[in-house]
Each structure stands twice: as C-alpha cells, then as structure tokens.
Amino acid sequence: HSGHQMKGQLVKVDAKTDAAWRAKATAEYPTNICVVSNDKLGGDMGLPQDYIYRVEGKPDRLVRFCCKDCLKDFNEDSAKYLGLIDAAAAKKKAGK
C-alpha cells in the first residue's frame, strides 16, 4: 500500500442528499459537459447522473456524468477528472 492520496468514493445523489447543498453545488458546477466523455450534460443521454465524490476529511464534491458508463472511467483516474473540474472552475471564476 503506497502513500498515494486517499481515494474518495462516489455516492449517488438521491432524495437523502441535502437539497440546499445540492442546489448550491449544481448552480456552482463549473461545466455543462461530462468531464469523462466530453458530452453535454442533459443532452441526448437524458438527465445527468449526479454523484458526490467523498473523501475523508475533505468537503463533498459534486461530480456530474452524462451516463452511468462514465463512472468506471472516473474511478480509474479520479484525480485527473477532478483536475478537469477544478480547471473549469478556475476558468469560470476568472470570467472566461
């Protein structure tokens, strides 16, 4: 077991998810594309699949996928995809 960062886990957003948190996280979500597939969220695939990425000791993060198939790819390289979300957030903040 190497000292790489702790892996988070994806938890499906559902009726038990705090509605206020979800509304805020959704409103602030920096991109309208799925970071895994680059497809538009809520496009042909139907409603986005919303998940909470949970890491011990860190705030919950919303991750939105165009479809369930993308979960597997995300889990294989979560740091990469979270980085893409962070990059989109930085761009949005800069007003680009």
XYZ file of all heavy atoms in Angstrom:
737
model
N 0.853 -1.195 0.000
C 0.000 0.000 0.000
C 0.888 1.244 0.000
O 1.486 1.592 1.005
C -0.894 -0.030 1.242
C -1.920 1.072 1.238
N -3.095 0.984 0.522
C -1.941 2.273 1.846
C -3.782 2.109 0.698
N -3.110 2.897 1.498
N 0.987 1.891 -1.125
C 1.854 3.066 -1.244
C 1.180 4.297 -0.648
O -0.008 4.287 -0.360
C 2.190 3.322 -2.713
O 1.014 3.633 -3.430
N 1.937 5.353 -0.507
C 1.399 6.542 0.148
C 0.644 7.470 -0.779
O 0.679 8.670 -0.582
N 0.011 6.921 -1.816
C -0.720 7.841 -2.694
C -1.991 8.332 -2.005
O -2.441 7.756 -1.028
C -1.026 7.199 -4.046
C -2.102 6.160 -3.991
N -1.914 4.957 -3.365
C -3.355 6.133 -4.506
C -3.021 4.236 -3.478
N -3.909 4.923 -4.155
N -2.519 9.432 -2.525
C -3.633 10.091 -1.850
C -4.812 9.152 -1.642
O -5.010 8.216 -2.395
C -4.083 11.301 -2.659
C -4.645 10.929 -4.017
C -4.879 12.166 -4.869
O -4.082 13.089 -4.842
N -5.941 12.179 -5.624
N -5.556 9.466 -0.612
C -6.675 8.622 -0.302
C -7.728 8.693 -1.394
O -8.062 9.765 -1.877
C -7.292 9.057 1.008
C -7.929 7.889 1.665
S -8.354 8.212 3.334
C -10.108 8.127 3.132
N -8.190 7.550 -1.776
C -9.209 7.504 -2.800
C -10.555 7.870 -2.199
O -10.904 7.397 -1.125
C -9.289 6.082 -3.360
C -8.469 5.911 -4.620
C -9.409 5.465 -5.685
C -8.960 5.074 -7.015
N -8.693 6.162 -7.903
N -11.258 8.703 -2.915
C -12.605 9.026 -2.469
C -13.563 7.986 -3.018
O -13.172 7.070 -3.724
N -14.827 8.160 -2.684
C -15.806 7.271 -3.286
C -16.967 8.087 -3.812
O -17.262 9.177 -3.324
C -16.282 6.213 -2.302
C -17.213 6.767 -1.243
C -17.541 5.716 -0.204
O -17.162 5.852 0.935
N -18.248 4.679 -0.580
N -17.574 7.571 -4.847
C -18.724 8.241 -5.436
C -19.991 7.731 -4.768
O -20.198 6.531 -4.632
C -18.794 7.947 -6.934
C -17.719 8.622 -7.780
C -17.756 8.085 -9.191
C -17.902 10.132 -7.795
N -20.814 8.675 -4.351
C -22.083 8.344 -3.729
C -23.179 8.987 -4.569
O -23.112 10.177 -4.874
C -22.158 8.919 -2.291
C -23.412 8.436 -1.589
C -20.911 8.565 -1.504
N -24.148 8.205 -4.962
C -25.213 8.725 -5.822
C -25.997 9.802 -5.087
O -26.360 9.644 -3.924
C -26.148 7.572 -6.204
C -27.309 8.001 -7.094
C -27.034 7.645 -8.533
C -28.247 7.853 -9.410
N -28.235 9.136 -10.133
N -26.241 10.923 -5.775
C -27.113 11.954 -5.222
C -28.538 11.403 -5.272
O -28.984 10.931 -6.315
C -27.007 13.255 -6.051
C -28.105 14.230 -5.671
C -25.634 13.895 -5.866
N -29.225 11.435 -4.147
C -30.590 10.919 -4.146
C -31.457 11.752 -3.203
O -31.051 12.829 -2.771
C -30.617 9.431 -3.749
C -30.048 9.192 -2.353
O -29.970 10.158 -1.558
O -29.687 8.043 -2.057
N -32.627 11.250 -2.901
C -33.581 12.009 -2.082
C -33.017 12.344 -0.701
O -33.443 13.313 -0.071
C -34.885 11.232 -1.953
N -32.057 11.554 -0.233
C -31.490 11.804 1.096
C -30.432 12.900 1.079
O -30.030 13.402 2.122
C -30.861 10.517 1.650
C -31.881 9.417 1.907
C -31.290 8.297 2.756
C -30.207 7.522 2.040
N -30.741 6.629 0.978
N -29.968 13.247 -0.120
C -28.948 14.294 -0.232
C -29.550 15.633 0.200
O -30.689 15.938 -0.149
C -28.459 14.406 -1.687
O -28.005 13.123 -2.105
C -27.316 15.411 -1.815
N -28.782 16.395 0.948
C -29.238 17.702 1.400
C -29.605 18.577 0.204
O -28.759 18.863 -0.650
C -28.122 18.350 2.232
C -28.536 19.727 2.733
O -29.577 19.816 3.393
O -27.815 20.700 2.449
N -30.855 19.009 0.146
C -31.349 19.741 -1.027
C -30.642 21.076 -1.221
O -30.349 21.482 -2.347
C -32.859 19.958 -0.915
N -30.351 21.759 -0.101
C -29.683 23.055 -0.205
C -28.266 22.881 -0.747
O -27.818 23.633 -1.616
C -29.645 23.741 1.163
N -27.581 21.858 -0.239
C -26.225 21.586 -0.738
C -26.273 21.260 -2.224
O -25.483 21.770 -3.014
C -25.602 20.400 0.025
C -24.232 20.051 -0.489
C -23.049 20.579 -0.067
C -23.910 19.136 -1.545
N -22.006 20.046 -0.798
C -22.505 19.166 -1.711
C -24.657 18.306 -2.377
C -21.849 18.379 -2.673
C -24.009 17.529 -3.328
C -22.614 17.577 -3.463
N -27.222 20.428 -2.581
C -27.315 20.007 -3.978
C -27.596 21.181 -4.903
O -26.984 21.312 -5.964
C -28.416 18.964 -4.117
C -28.505 18.446 -5.531
C -29.637 17.471 -5.723
N -29.546 16.899 -7.061
C -30.322 15.925 -7.498
N -31.222 15.401 -6.707
N -30.187 15.465 -8.717
N -28.516 22.056 -4.490
C -28.860 23.216 -5.318
C -27.644 24.115 -5.510
O -27.363 24.574 -6.616
C -30.006 23.995 -4.675
N -26.903 24.339 -4.415
C -25.721 25.194 -4.482
C -24.640 24.540 -5.337
O -24.048 25.176 -6.210
C -25.211 25.437 -3.059
C -24.035 26.389 -2.960
C -23.760 26.704 -1.472
C -22.706 27.778 -1.307
N -21.365 27.342 -1.736
N -24.391 23.251 -5.095
C -23.342 22.554 -5.835
C -23.672 22.500 -7.323
O -22.798 22.666 -8.173
C -23.162 21.142 -5.279
N -24.941 22.293 -7.633
C -25.356 22.234 -9.034
C -25.208 23.604 -9.692
O -24.706 23.720 -10.804
C -26.812 21.740 -9.139
O -26.922 20.485 -8.464
C -27.222 21.526 -10.585
N -25.636 24.643 -8.978
C -25.541 26.005 -9.516
C -24.090 26.411 -9.745
O -23.777 27.126 -10.695
C -26.228 26.991 -8.574
N -23.207 25.932 -8.854
C -21.802 26.337 -8.955
C -20.974 25.380 -9.809
O -19.788 25.624 -10.019
C -21.189 26.391 -7.545
C -21.726 27.541 -6.726
C -21.225 27.519 -5.292
O -20.523 26.562 -4.911
O -21.534 28.467 -4.556
N -21.602 24.310 -10.270
C -20.826 23.332 -11.044
C -20.280 24.022 -12.288
O -21.042 24.644 -13.041
C -21.699 22.130 -11.414
C -20.892 20.924 -11.829
C -20.108 20.251 -10.910
C -20.907 20.475 -13.154
C -19.353 19.146 -11.281
C -20.160 19.367 -13.534
C -19.392 18.714 -12.597
O -18.648 17.625 -12.970
N -18.970 23.954 -12.498
C -18.349 24.874 -13.462
C -18.470 24.503 -14.938
O -18.055 25.257 -15.793
C -16.878 24.867 -13.040
C -16.679 23.509 -12.446
C -17.976 23.160 -11.773
N -19.009 23.348 -15.228
C -19.051 22.962 -16.636
C -20.357 22.259 -16.964
O -20.966 21.650 -16.087
C -17.847 22.048 -16.974
O -17.945 21.667 -18.349
C -17.820 20.798 -16.100
N -20.793 22.393 -18.202
C -22.022 21.702 -18.591
C -21.712 20.502 -19.478
O -22.566 20.004 -20.202
C -22.991 22.665 -19.301
C -22.401 23.227 -20.579
O -21.229 23.022 -20.877
N -23.200 23.941 -21.343
N -20.438 20.082 -19.426
C -20.101 18.850 -20.137
C -19.627 17.809 -19.138
O -19.173 18.140 -18.050
C -19.013 19.055 -21.218
C -17.728 19.607 -20.600
C -19.513 19.914 -22.359
C -16.529 19.440 -21.507
N -19.746 16.574 -19.520
C -19.257 15.473 -18.706
C -17.741 15.438 -18.869
O -17.246 15.345 -19.998
C -19.893 14.174 -19.209
S -19.219 12.696 -18.440
N -16.997 15.541 -17.765
C -15.535 15.597 -17.871
C -14.937 14.284 -18.375
O -13.808 14.252 -18.838
C -14.842 16.000 -16.546
C -15.076 17.469 -16.260
C -15.264 15.129 -15.391
N -15.700 13.202 -18.289
C -15.182 11.922 -18.764
C -15.361 11.787 -20.273
O -14.433 11.468 -21.001
C -15.874 10.745 -18.038
C -15.377 9.412 -18.594
C -15.606 10.826 -16.538
N -16.568 12.074 -20.752
C -16.869 11.808 -22.164
C -16.821 13.048 -23.047
O -16.843 12.948 -24.264
C -18.268 11.218 -22.277
O -19.215 12.232 -21.936
N -16.818 14.233 -22.416
C -16.938 15.492 -23.153
C -18.284 15.658 -23.833
O -18.439 16.502 -24.724
C -15.828 15.657 -24.201
C -14.576 16.251 -23.581
O -14.667 17.093 -22.689
N -13.421 15.809 -24.026
N -19.269 14.869 -23.441
C -20.621 15.072 -23.966
C -21.344 16.090 -23.096
O -21.070 16.213 -21.906
C -21.408 13.755 -23.952
C -20.944 12.814 -25.052
O -20.554 13.311 -26.127
O -20.970 11.593 -24.833
N -22.285 16.791 -23.716
C -23.054 17.779 -22.980
C -23.929 17.081 -21.934
O -24.548 16.061 -22.213
C -23.935 18.557 -23.956
C -24.362 19.907 -23.450
C -24.869 20.733 -24.623
C -25.783 21.870 -24.177
N -25.379 22.601 -22.987
N -23.950 17.643 -20.731
C -24.801 17.074 -19.685
C -26.259 17.352 -20.012
O -26.610 18.451 -20.443
C -24.455 17.701 -18.329
C -23.078 17.337 -17.767
C -22.752 18.231 -16.579
C -23.035 15.873 -17.357
N -27.093 16.354 -19.809
C -28.513 16.543 -20.065
C -28.834 16.621 -21.543
O -29.868 17.120 -21.946
N -27.905 16.141 -22.376
C -28.150 16.128 -23.820
C -28.939 14.894 -24.222
O -29.959 14.571 -23.617
N -28.407 14.197 -25.210
C -29.102 13.025 -25.730
C -29.202 11.903 -24.704
O -30.050 11.019 -24.821
C -28.353 12.462 -26.952
C -28.237 13.509 -28.049
O -29.063 14.441 -28.057
O -27.323 13.389 -28.878
N -28.322 11.929 -23.715
C -28.277 10.833 -22.751
C -29.357 10.972 -21.682
O -29.462 10.145 -20.793
C -26.918 10.793 -22.044
C -25.733 10.829 -22.965
S -25.667 9.386 -24.027
C -24.549 8.361 -23.117
N -30.116 12.045 -21.719
C -31.106 12.248 -20.671
C -30.502 13.018 -19.504
O -29.472 13.660 -19.649
N -31.142 12.944 -18.356
C -30.687 13.714 -17.201
C -29.282 13.320 -16.777
O -28.928 12.150 -16.832
C -31.635 13.487 -16.019
C -32.993 14.193 -16.124
C -33.897 13.748 -14.988
C -32.823 15.701 -16.108
N -28.487 14.298 -16.333
C -27.148 13.966 -15.849
C -27.231 13.042 -14.641
O -28.191 13.091 -13.878
C -26.556 15.311 -15.432
C -27.456 16.360 -15.950
C -28.779 15.729 -16.237
N -26.211 12.231 -14.491
C -26.081 11.376 -13.314
C -25.248 12.160 -12.309
O -24.070 12.409 -12.543
C -25.338 10.088 -13.690
C -26.020 9.272 -14.760
C -27.218 8.534 -14.200
O -27.194 8.047 -13.080
N -28.276 8.469 -14.982
N -25.871 12.565 -11.223
C -25.163 13.368 -10.221
C -24.649 12.484 -9.091
O -25.407 11.696 -8.523
C -26.084 14.442 -9.643
C -26.346 15.574 -10.631
O -25.725 15.559 -11.709
O -27.147 16.467 -10.323
N -23.369 12.652 -8.779
C -22.747 11.895 -7.696
C -21.989 12.833 -6.780
O -21.574 13.920 -7.194
C -21.779 10.840 -8.252
C -22.495 9.615 -8.761
C -23.122 9.629 -10.000
C -22.575 8.460 -7.995
C -23.813 8.525 -10.468
C -23.260 7.342 -8.460
C -23.876 7.379 -9.686
O -24.566 6.286 -10.131
N -21.822 12.393 -5.552
C -20.997 13.121 -4.594
C -19.678 12.362 -4.491
O -19.678 11.149 -4.274
C -21.671 13.167 -3.211
C -22.987 13.942 -3.303
C -20.732 13.807 -2.180
C -23.901 13.709 -2.114
N -18.593 13.083 -4.699
C -17.276 12.476 -4.513
C -16.867 12.796 -3.095
O -16.723 13.962 -2.717
C -16.273 13.050 -5.515
C -14.913 12.398 -5.427
C -14.723 11.101 -5.889
C -13.827 13.071 -4.874
C -13.484 10.489 -5.815
C -12.576 12.466 -4.802
C -12.417 11.178 -5.273
O -11.195 10.567 -5.192
N -16.700 11.753 -2.306
C -16.488 11.913 -0.871
C -15.107 11.400 -0.479
O -14.785 10.252 -0.740
C -17.581 11.122 -0.158
C -17.839 11.570 1.242
C -19.184 11.048 1.715
N -20.238 12.037 1.494
C -21.543 11.774 1.602
N -21.938 10.563 1.883
N -22.413 12.723 1.416
N -14.311 12.277 0.107
C -13.006 11.890 0.630
C -12.981 12.265 2.107
O -13.388 13.372 2.472
C -11.855 12.626 -0.094
C -10.511 12.171 0.444
C -11.938 12.412 -1.591
N -12.513 11.334 2.911
C -12.398 11.574 4.355
C -11.684 12.892 4.629
O -10.606 13.145 4.100
C -11.587 10.427 4.952
C -11.653 10.366 6.457
C -12.699 9.376 6.934
O -13.122 8.523 6.146
O -13.074 9.480 8.114
N -12.323 13.752 5.417
C -11.667 14.988 5.836
C -11.699 16.116 4.822
O -11.133 17.173 5.042
N -12.369 15.892 3.677
C -12.479 16.962 2.686
C -13.949 17.249 2.420
O -14.800 16.390 2.635
C -11.804 16.549 1.372
C -10.304 16.448 1.490
C -9.700 16.493 0.117
C -8.181 16.436 0.179
N -7.593 16.052 -1.098
N -14.244 18.460 1.929
C -15.652 18.738 1.641
C -16.158 17.858 0.496
O -15.398 17.496 -0.402
C -15.664 20.219 1.241
C -14.254 20.612 1.010
C -13.368 19.602 1.668
N -17.424 17.537 0.553
C -18.043 16.765 -0.538
C -17.956 17.551 -1.831
O -18.022 18.781 -1.841
C -19.523 16.510 -0.236
C -19.719 15.457 0.841
O -18.733 14.802 1.221
O -20.869 15.298 1.291
N -17.815 16.814 -2.930
C -17.774 17.471 -4.244
C -18.821 16.847 -5.146
O -18.998 15.639 -5.156
C -16.411 17.255 -4.893
C -15.283 17.874 -4.122
C -14.008 17.787 -4.900
N -14.144 18.399 -6.205
C -13.103 18.787 -6.953
N -11.901 18.617 -6.510
N -13.289 19.317 -8.127
N -19.476 17.686 -5.905
C -20.428 17.192 -6.889
C -19.667 16.818 -8.151
O -18.782 17.553 -8.594
C -21.451 18.285 -7.210
C -22.483 17.948 -8.291
C -23.433 16.854 -7.806
C -23.271 19.190 -8.673
N -19.984 15.664 -8.694
C -19.447 15.275 -9.995
C -20.628 14.839 -10.842
O -21.458 14.039 -10.403
C -18.429 14.114 -9.881
C -17.835 13.809 -11.254
C -17.315 14.465 -8.903
N -20.719 15.390 -12.043
C -21.862 15.099 -12.903
C -21.393 14.310 -14.127
O -20.429 14.692 -14.784
C -22.540 16.386 -13.334
C -22.773 17.348 -12.174
C -23.638 18.520 -12.544
N -25.029 18.110 -12.544
C -26.029 18.875 -12.996
N -25.775 20.064 -13.484
N -27.262 18.435 -12.963
N -22.109 13.252 -14.407
C -21.774 12.397 -15.557
C -22.933 12.391 -16.538
O -24.090 12.520 -16.142
C -21.517 10.955 -15.093
C -20.402 10.836 -14.090
C -20.668 10.705 -12.742
C -19.076 10.866 -14.499
C -19.647 10.593 -11.809
C -18.041 10.766 -13.575
C -18.331 10.624 -12.237
N -22.613 12.188 -17.817
C -23.693 12.121 -18.800
C -24.436 10.794 -18.693
O -25.614 10.700 -19.014
C -23.152 12.335 -20.220
S -21.959 11.096 -20.741
N -23.732 9.763 -18.242
C -24.367 8.455 -18.119
C -23.562 7.586 -17.155
O -22.428 7.919 -16.824
C -24.470 7.771 -19.483
S -22.858 7.358 -20.166
N -24.144 6.492 -16.758
C -23.503 5.619 -15.762
C -22.176 5.034 -16.238
O -21.311 4.721 -15.435
C -24.442 4.461 -15.422
C -25.628 4.907 -14.570
C -25.815 3.969 -13.399
C -26.824 4.460 -12.397
N -28.146 4.697 -12.982
N -22.034 4.877 -17.553
C -20.812 4.265 -18.084
C -19.565 5.056 -17.703
O -18.474 4.504 -17.606
C -20.882 4.161 -19.615
C -21.962 3.184 -20.054
O -22.419 2.389 -19.212
O -22.343 3.218 -21.236
N -19.724 6.352 -17.505
C -18.565 7.201 -17.223
C -18.015 7.008 -15.811
O -16.882 7.396 -15.524
C -18.925 8.662 -17.451
S -19.183 9.034 -19.201
N -18.816 6.420 -14.930
C -18.353 6.226 -13.554
C -17.090 5.381 -13.494
O -16.175 5.653 -12.735
C -19.442 5.531 -12.727
C -20.697 6.371 -12.494
C -21.838 5.481 -12.050
C -20.426 7.433 -11.458
N -17.062 4.351 -14.307
C -15.930 3.432 -14.288
C -14.640 4.170 -14.656
O -13.620 4.038 -13.982
C -16.193 2.273 -15.263
C -15.234 1.109 -15.093
C -15.734 -0.112 -15.835
C -15.193 -0.280 -17.228
N -13.819 0.107 -17.521
N -14.701 4.962 -15.714
C -13.519 5.720 -16.140
C -13.097 6.706 -15.053
O -11.909 6.875 -14.775
C -13.811 6.490 -17.429
C -13.903 5.548 -18.623
O -13.353 4.433 -18.542
O -14.530 5.916 -19.626
N -14.082 7.354 -14.460
C -13.766 8.319 -13.411
C -13.032 7.635 -12.260
O -12.018 8.129 -11.772
C -15.050 8.976 -12.891
C -14.799 9.963 -11.778
C -14.566 11.301 -12.060
C -14.794 9.554 -10.456
C -14.314 12.205 -11.038
C -14.543 10.447 -9.423
C -14.311 11.781 -9.722
N -13.545 6.489 -11.859
C -12.941 5.786 -10.726
C -11.524 5.316 -11.026
O -10.705 5.187 -10.124
C -13.813 4.600 -10.308
C -14.997 5.053 -9.477
O -14.898 6.004 -8.705
N -16.130 4.399 -9.638
N -11.233 5.070 -12.295
C -9.892 4.621 -12.663
C -8.871 5.742 -12.551
O -7.690 5.497 -12.323
C -9.898 4.040 -14.080
C -10.337 2.584 -14.065
C -10.673 2.057 -15.455
O -10.235 2.655 -16.460
O -11.388 1.040 -15.523
N -9.326 6.991 -12.738
C -8.378 8.108 -12.660
C -9.083 9.344 -12.107
O -9.179 10.370 -12.782
C -7.795 8.389 -14.057
C -6.543 9.257 -13.978
O -6.186 9.684 -12.860
O -5.936 9.522 -15.024
N -9.586 9.205 -10.892
C -10.397 10.292 -10.344
C -9.630 11.614 -10.250
O -10.185 12.670 -10.498
C -10.972 9.903 -8.978
O -9.941 9.485 -8.112
N -8.335 11.544 -9.925
C -7.555 12.784 -9.771
C -7.546 13.578 -11.075
O -7.671 14.802 -11.083
C -6.134 12.459 -9.335
N -7.420 12.868 -12.189
C -7.390 13.537 -13.486
C -8.702 14.273 -13.751
O -8.707 15.441 -14.145
C -7.142 12.496 -14.582
C -7.301 13.029 -15.996
C -7.158 11.913 -17.011
C -7.879 12.248 -18.290
N -7.891 11.121 -19.225
N -9.817 13.590 -13.504
C -11.110 14.197 -13.812
C -11.475 15.300 -12.824
O -12.046 16.318 -13.213
C -12.198 13.121 -13.879
C -11.949 12.169 -15.025
C -11.676 10.827 -14.806
C -11.950 12.626 -16.346
C -11.421 9.961 -15.864
C -11.692 11.777 -17.405
C -11.426 10.441 -17.163
O -11.175 9.612 -18.207
N -11.098 15.120 -11.564
C -11.327 16.196 -10.596
C -10.506 17.422 -10.988
O -10.941 18.553 -10.830
C -10.963 15.732 -9.183
C -11.918 14.685 -8.596
C -11.320 14.074 -7.337
C -13.291 15.273 -8.303
N -9.320 17.168 -11.529
C -8.478 18.267 -12.011
C -9.142 19.030 -13.142
O -9.045 20.259 -13.224
N -9.841 18.307 -14.018
C -10.547 18.961 -15.117
C -11.686 19.831 -14.585
O -11.941 20.920 -15.110
C -11.110 17.908 -16.090
C -10.083 17.130 -16.905
C -10.751 16.002 -17.684
C -9.339 18.058 -17.865
N -12.357 19.341 -13.546
C -13.428 20.140 -12.940
C -12.828 21.387 -12.285
O -13.350 22.494 -12.428
C -14.218 19.305 -11.901
C -14.932 18.139 -12.600
C -15.244 20.192 -11.181
C -15.556 17.128 -11.652
N -11.689 21.208 -11.585
C -11.016 22.350 -10.964
C -10.592 23.379 -12.000
O -10.714 24.587 -11.790
C -9.774 21.889 -10.190
C -10.151 21.145 -8.918
O -11.278 21.315 -8.427
O -9.307 20.378 -8.411
N -10.076 22.891 -13.129
C -9.640 23.795 -14.197
C -10.828 24.588 -14.740
O -10.728 25.794 -14.990
C -8.965 23.001 -15.308
N -11.953 23.904 -14.910
C -13.157 24.581 -15.404
C -13.631 25.624 -14.383
O -14.053 26.723 -14.751
C -14.268 23.571 -15.677
N -13.509 25.282 -13.108
C -13.932 26.202 -12.048
C -13.044 27.450 -12.035
O -13.532 28.577 -11.877
C -13.880 25.516 -10.689
N -11.740 27.252 -12.216
C -10.806 28.378 -12.222
C -11.101 29.306 -13.393
O -11.057 30.535 -13.274
C -9.369 27.858 -12.305
N -11.423 28.693 -14.538
C -11.744 29.464 -15.726
C -13.024 30.265 -15.510
O -13.114 31.445 -15.869
C -11.954 28.497 -16.894
C -11.192 28.868 -18.147
C -10.946 27.657 -18.983
C -11.735 27.738 -20.286
N -11.531 26.545 -21.089
N -14.015 29.600 -14.913
C -15.295 30.258 -14.656
C -15.117 31.438 -13.703
O -15.679 32.484 -13.888
C -16.269 29.225 -14.059
C -17.698 29.710 -13.950
C -18.576 28.624 -13.370
C -20.018 29.101 -13.270
N -20.873 28.101 -12.612
N -14.284 31.220 -12.679
C -14.014 32.265 -11.692
C -13.350 33.472 -12.361
O -13.615 34.607 -12.006
C -13.079 31.707 -10.615
C -13.529 32.050 -9.216
C -12.488 31.648 -8.193
C -13.165 31.557 -6.818
N -12.853 30.317 -6.144
N -12.475 33.178 -13.298
C -11.757 34.262 -13.981
C -12.663 34.959 -14.998
O -12.253 35.915 -15.649
C -10.511 33.688 -14.676
N -13.881 34.449 -15.141
C -14.838 35.075 -16.045
C -14.544 34.836 -17.502
O -14.926 35.614 -18.366
N -13.867 33.742 -17.813
C -13.517 33.442 -19.207
C -14.676 32.729 -19.885
O -15.333 31.913 -19.284
C -12.275 32.545 -19.241
C -11.063 33.248 -18.680
C -10.141 33.690 -19.802
C -8.845 34.318 -19.348
N -8.797 34.942 -18.056
